[in-house]
Amino acid sequence: MELSRFPWLCVVLLELAGSVANVEAYVKQNKNVVKKKYRPIYHISSPKGWVSDPTGFTFFKRQYHMFFQYHPHDGKWGHIHWGHAVSMNLIDWTHFPPAIVPKEYYEMHGCQSGTALVHNDYLTLFYTGTVLADNETFQTQNLALSGDGVVFQKYIYNPILREAPHGVGEFRNPRVWKFRNTWYMMIGTTSRERNGKLILYTSGDMFNWKLDGTIAESMGDMGTMWENPDMFSMDGQHILIFSAQGIKSEGYRFRNLYQTGYVVGNFDYVLGQFEDLEISTATFTELDYGHDFYAAKTMLAKDGRRLLIAWLGMWGSEFPESKDGWASMLTMVRELRLSESSRLIMTPVREIVDLRAEILEDAWYSPGEMFYAGTKSFELIVNSSAIVSFVGLTLEWGIDTRYSIGYHADHAHVSVDRGGTDGVRIAEWSPNGYIHWRIFVDGSSVEVFCGEGEVVFTSRIYPKKDIRVRVSGDTQLHVLQYRLRRSIGHNNKKPTKHTKKRMKLLDKFKVDSETTI
C-alpha cells in the first residue's frame, strides 16, 4: 500500500510513533524516577506528586486527553491541580504540563474534578474551585478553555456558579453535557439533612446557569455525600454513576470506606428527573468489588465504545510510595456494555493487547504447582477445564504476604484476599462451567476481570520480593503469561507565540456545541 495516497494515515502513524518515542526518551532521561519502588509502567501515575480522581476524559484533535487530580509537590493531598496526559491509542500516554493550576481567589485551595468536553474546536474544562476559610469549605463551579489542548485560559467571569443553592459547603464535580438545545450540569452535594444528593442546572449558552431541581437524593441509607456523578445512555436506558460517602457495609457489600456504583433507569428531560427510580442500597450496584476503585469517569469514543477510567486508590488508605515523593495511579482504560439483565459489564480496553512484549508462560498447572512471574508488570490469562469445588490462584512474595483469587462453587461467589484485617472482598458470580480470569499486575496494583467482565476487582498490593504464581484448589489451570511493556512518558511542550495569541481570543469566546451524552 502506498502511504502517499493516504496522507491522513501518514499523520496518524507519525503522531503515534512520536508518542512511543516520548516514552522511550522519558525512560532514558528519568531513570531515577521510573525505577522507583512500586512504580507502575503502563498505568498513569505522576513522575512526582499525588494522583487521585480522574477529572475529565475526552477526545480532541485526534488524541485522547486524560485529566486527573494532581498535587505536584509531594506524594500527599494538597492544593489540587488538573494533571494532563495525552494518548493516540488509549495505552501509550504522554504527560503534559498541568491544564489548570489554582491561582485565582475562588480556587486558591484547589481545582477539583469536573468535566472535559469538546465543541466548536475548543476543549472546555468545567471544574470545582475550593477555598478553605474559618474552618469552612466554599466551593464554586468554573470553566477553562483551550484551542490547542495544551494551554488553558480560565473564563474571565468565573465562577459561573458561586454557591450551593441550600448553603451547604459540599458542592462539587460538575458533569456537563448538551441534549438538543439545552446544556445540563449535574453536581454532587449533600442536603440540609446530610443525605447524599445530585442537583441539576440548565443553560442555553453554557455560561449562564439556573437551578432546575434535584435529580436524586438519598432517603437515608445511601450515605451523606454523593460526588463525581456521571450519566450516559446505553441501549435505550440511562446509567447514573456516582461515588457515595458514608454507606454502611452490609455483609460483603460496601466494604470500602467510600463506594462507587451505579443505578439504571430512564431520565425524563422534560421533568429533569429519573422516572420512578429508587436509589437505595438495594438498587445501587458496585462497579468494582476490589479495595481501590473510586471516582469513575466515562466518555463516548468516536467508534461508539463507552470508555471508563477511575482512581486506583481509596481515601483513608496508606500509600507507602508517598515517602518517595509520588502516590497512586489511575486504572487501565476499560470498555463498558450493558447486559440483558441491565448490569454493566467491564473489560480491559481492547488496545491493551498491544502492550504484550513476550510470552513468559503457556502451560497447564496442577494444584500446588507454581512458577516465578519474572517481572513486576504482566498479564495472566487463566482458564480451567472444569470446576469441581474450589478454584484458586495466588500471587506470593513472602511467607505471609500474598494476594489470592478464588472461586467457591458451593457458594457461587468469587473472592480476593490481600491479607490484613480487612483484606477479603467477595462478589456473587456464576461462571458457565469453567473459569476465565484476566489478571493485570503493574508494580503495586492488580486488576482481576472475571468471565466476560461481570465482576472486577481492583486493588493495591506492595510486593517486596519477586512474585510467585501458585495454583490452589482442586482444579488444573492453564496459565498464559505476557510481559507488558512500558507505555508512560513525559512531554515538556511549551506554548508557542501562535498558541498564546489564539488563547487571547478565548476571553470573548461564545459556543454552540453539539455535545450530548
Side-chain angles (χ1 to χ4, degrees):
M1 179 178 69
E2 285 187 41
L3 288 178
S4 59
R5 295 174 57 190
F6 304 94
W8 60 269
L9 181 57
C10 293
V11 172
V12 171
L13 291 174
L14 286 172
E15 291 195 11
L16 179 58
S19 176
V20 176
N22 279 331
V23 174
E24 295 174 350
Y26 177 70
V27 172
K28 292 179 181 179
Q29 297 172 10
N30 298 272
K31 292 182 179 180
N32 61 324
V33 172
V34 299
K35 288 187 176 181
K36 282 183 177 177
K37 197 174 185 180
Y38 306 131
R39 170 73 70 179
I41 68 171
Y42 60 90
H43 288 75
I44 295 175
S45 67
S46 65
K48 178 184 178 183
W50 164 275
V51 165
S52 56
D53 306 5
T55 55
F57 186 16
T58 193
F59 188 82
F60 179 64
K61 294 188 181 297
R62 299 193 305 273
Q63 293 178 317
Y64 293 94
H65 290 255
M66 188 74 67
F67 303 93
F68 47 89
Q69 291 188 166
Y70 171 51
H71 182 231
H73 303 302
D74 57 44
K76 299 178 182 178
W77 174 268
H79 292 181
I80 290 300
H81 300 46
W82 270 41
H84 187 191
V86 174
S87 175
M88 291 288 295
N89 59 5
L90 294 168
I91 54 173
D92 291 288
W93 292 95
T94 298
H95 282 286
F96 272 42
I100 304 177
V101 176
K103 292 183 178 180
E104 310 301 329
Y105 72 92
Y106 51 80
E107 60 185 28
M108 64 177 63
H109 294 114
C111 301
Q112 291 179 257
S113 177
T115 298
L117 57 84
V118 178
H119 52 84
N120 279 11
D121 294 326
Y122 285 90
L123 178 52
T124 303
L125 309 181
F126 291 83
Y127 66 98
T128 297
T130 299
V131 176
L132 306 176
D134 299 325
N135 294 322
E136 289 191 54
T137 300
F138 301 90
Q139 294 184 318
T140 60
Q141 313 313 318
N142 309 277
L143 64 84
L145 308 152
S146 175
D148 63 357
V150 180
V151 179
F152 290 82
Q153 176 70 44
K154 293 169 186 174
Y155 182 47
I156 192 172
Y157 297 116
N158 278 342
I160 54 176
L161 289 175
R162 295 183 175 273
E163 61 180 356
H166 46 276
V168 179
E170 306 285 358
F171 178 59
R172 57 181 173 268
N173 311 140
R175 166 68 167 100
V176 181
W177 72 96
K178 190 177 185 183
F179 180 76
R180 295 179 179 169
N181 294 319
T182 302
W183 286 95
Y184 294 84
M185 180 189 293
M186 178 170 50
I187 299 176
T189 185
T190 184
S191 68
R192 289 190 179 94
E193 296 75 28
R194 296 296 172 178
N195 289 322
K197 183 177 181 178
L198 298 176
I199 55 178
L200 185 69
Y201 289 81
T202 56
S203 172
D205 63 3
M206 200 179 69
F207 295 95
N208 300 286
W209 297 85
K210 67 175 182 178
L211 181 63
D212 194 71
T214 298
I215 289 183
E217 183 175 356
S218 170
M219 301 307 293
D221 66 342
M222 277 295 295
T224 58
M225 171 64 191
W226 293 353
E227 60 182 2
N228 299 294
D230 196 353
M231 187 172 76
F232 55 90
S233 60
M234 182 176 285
D235 297 340
Q237 300 187 77
H238 288 91
I239 293 89
L240 175 64
I241 295 175
F242 60 91
S243 299
Q245 302 178 5
I247 298 179
K248 295 181 180 179
S249 61
E250 299 178 354
Y252 57 78
R253 298 181 71 209
F254 310 128
R255 297 296 302 175
N256 292 332
L257 182 60
Y258 299 145
Q259 319 299 329
T260 297
Y262 66 95
V263 291
V264 180
N266 292 298
F267 186 74
D268 188 327
Y269 275 96
V270 175
L271 299 177
Q273 296 178 343
F274 278 87
E275 300 174 358
D276 300 323
L277 179 66
E278 173 194 350
I279 301 183
S280 67
T281 54
T283 61
F284 187 70
T285 303
E286 292 171 271
L287 260 174
D288 186 296
Y289 294 88
H291 305 81
D292 297 284
F293 180 94
Y294 195 71
K297 188 76 65 178
T298 77
M299 68 161 287
L300 185 64
K302 292 294 184 180
D303 58 10
R305 289 179 293 170
R306 176 61 58 173
L307 305 177
L308 177 145
I309 195 167
W311 178 32
L312 211 161
M314 180 57 59
W315 301 110
S317 298
E318 293 185 4
F319 295 92
E321 69 271 22
S322 64
K323 68 179 182 297
D324 292 327
W326 69 280
S328 203
M329 66 185 82
L330 303 185
T331 67
M332 296 185 303
V333 178
R334 303 170 180 186
E335 299 179 18
L336 295 179
R337 63 181 179 87
L338 199 62
S339 73
E340 293 181 357
S341 60
S342 295
R343 291 182 66 92
L344 282 177
I345 305 299
M346 192 157 48
T347 56
V349 68
R350 67 190 63 166
E351 288 86 349
I352 203 74
V353 298
D354 293 331
L355 291 183
R356 294 171 178 172
E358 64 175 317
I359 296 177
L360 299 179
E361 290 289 333
D362 184 3
W364 285 93
Y365 288 87
S366 297
E369 294 184 329
M370 54 79 66
F371 63 89
Y372 280 91
T375 177
K376 294 182 178 179
S377 300
F378 57 91
E379 173 189 2
L380 296 176
I381 299 177
V382 180
N383 291 289
S384 70
S385 58
I387 299 174
V388 179
S389 176
F390 174 68
V391 181
L393 191 79
T394 302
L395 308 177
E396 304 174 340
W397 51 90
I399 298 176
D400 295 317
T401 51
R402 62 176 63 89
Y403 179 91
S404 59
I405 308 155
Y407 172 69
H408 308 257
D410 296 339
H411 302 286
H413 70 233
V414 60
S415 66
V416 299
D417 183 2
R418 68 175 179 184
T421 57
D422 187 34
V424 177
R425 295 291 183 270
I426 298 174
E428 295 179 355
W429 185 49
S430 298
N432 187 23
Y434 66 96
I435 292 294
H436 175 70
W437 291 327
R438 288 185 73 185
I439 303 166
F440 293 84
V441 176
D442 191 13
S444 53
S445 70
V446 57
E447 293 166 84
V448 181
F449 297 84
C450 301
E452 297 300 318
E454 304 91 7
V455 173
V456 183
F457 296 95
T458 300
S459 303
R460 298 303 303 272
I461 57 174
Y462 292 94
K464 296 182 179 180
K465 298 180 180 179
D466 293 340
I467 294 176
R468 299 185 302 270
V469 180
R470 185 183 301 276
V471 173
S472 55
D474 49 28
T475 304
Q476 273 195 329
L477 294 178
H478 182 269
V479 181
L480 179 61
Q481 182 195 13
Y482 293 96
R483 181 178 64 82
L484 301 185
R485 65 174 174 82
R486 182 179 300 278
S487 63
I488 307 298
H490 190 72
N491 181 33
N492 290 315
K493 186 175 181 180
K494 303 296 183 181
T496 64
K497 291 182 179 179
H498 177 65
T499 297
K500 292 178 180 179
K501 184 177 180 180
R502 291 181 63 189
M503 295 308 298
K504 290 181 181 179
L505 299 176
L506 292 173
D507 286 340
K508 301 179 181 179
F509 179 72
K510 299 297 179 184
V511 300
D512 182 19
S513 172
E514 297 180 357
T515 304
T516 185
I517 55 173

